[in-house]
Amino acid sequence: MRYADDCNIYVASERAGKRVMQSVTGFLRRRLKLKVNEFKSAVARPQERKFLGFSFSGGKEPKRRIAPKALLRCQQRVRALTRRTRGISVEQMTQELATYLRGWKSYFSFCETPSVLERLEEWMRHRLRSMIWKQWKRSQARFRELRQRNVSAALAAQTVASPHGPWRIANSPALSAAFPKAYFDALGLPRLLAGD
């Protein structure tokens, strides 16, 4: 054996952790002739460490959760795929996003914190609504598009006249009604929760 990847060893106390760390490190070096990365190795509580993109929540009944860095990488990828300056339609953008999310979901559906996935889903829909609002550009186009999606004339006019920016407008009653979850389902945007 020339190389060992990440591994976690769980014990009952910090003292036991230090003892096990010393003995396992010695075994790997002496018997297997492997180099242990001291910088990445540590004795710590499970919720303070990450392993293959996962970590644990705290509390009496710890749950598998997506590590913060893994969530951040996902959000960065979604931002890159949904940039308004890409000059592609929302349909094409959603298809590219769906391809990425299917792979991401198959890996991270193992997590036990559904609220995180719910928030991520809502953030993505919010981002897509914001992008659509920016693409419409002019007030007349915005009003017309909202009316075509069964938004009342009064609510459409109020939304178009709003001084708020696209991100705030994307969460408004008008855009939530014009682009509900079912709209993104129809475009093929996958739900991240296992049962959806």
Side-chain angles (χ1 to χ4, degrees), residues 32-159:
L32 300 180
K33 309 295 186 214
L34 293 172
K35 184 178 179 183
V36 176
N37 187 329
E38 299 284 351
F39 179 73
K40 291 185 177 179
S41 303
V43 174
R45 294 186 179 279
Q47 60 265 31
E48 295 169 9
R49 303 293 292 170
K50 67 177 181 63
F51 182 66
L52 303 176
F54 288 93
S55 65
F56 288 96
S57 63
K60 290 184 178 179
E61 292 184 26
K63 295 183 177 180
R64 284 184 307 274
R65 64 175 184 158
I66 302 167
K69 282 187 179 178
L71 268 177
L72 182 62
R73 279 194 302 273
C74 174
Q75 288 179 310
Q76 288 169 338
R77 181 74 175 133
V78 170
R79 281 190 185 100
L81 289 170
T82 58
R83 280 194 329 268
R84 180 174 59 110
T85 55
R86 293 188 67 208
I88 61 175
S89 68
V90 68
E91 291 81 10
Q92 187 178 347
M93 191 175 284
T94 307
Q95 287 306 308
E96 291 179 13
L97 185 56
T99 301
Y100 168 72
L101 289 175
R102 277 191 287 273
W104 191 90
K105 177 184 176 178
S106 68
Y107 186 83
F108 285 107
S109 61
F110 189 58
C111 85
E112 298 175 315
T113 51
S115 61
V116 172
L117 297 178
E118 284 175 21
R119 285 195 301 272
L120 186 58
E121 267 186 23
E122 184 50 47
W123 175 78
M124 284 188 288
R125 287 190 296 270
H126 191 153
R127 188 162 173 83
L128 288 168
R129 287 186 195 110
S130 176
M131 191 274 301
I132 292 167
W133 187 251
K134 286 177 183 175
Q135 281 188 343
W136 287 345
K137 291 183 182 177
R138 294 185 179 152
S139 298
Q140 292 145 326
R142 288 171 170 176
F143 182 82
R144 184 181 64 247
E145 293 288 351
L146 288 174
R147 291 292 290 132
Q148 285 175 357
R149 288 164 176 78
N150 298 321
V151 175
S152 71
L155 183 56
Q158 179 187 347
T159 306

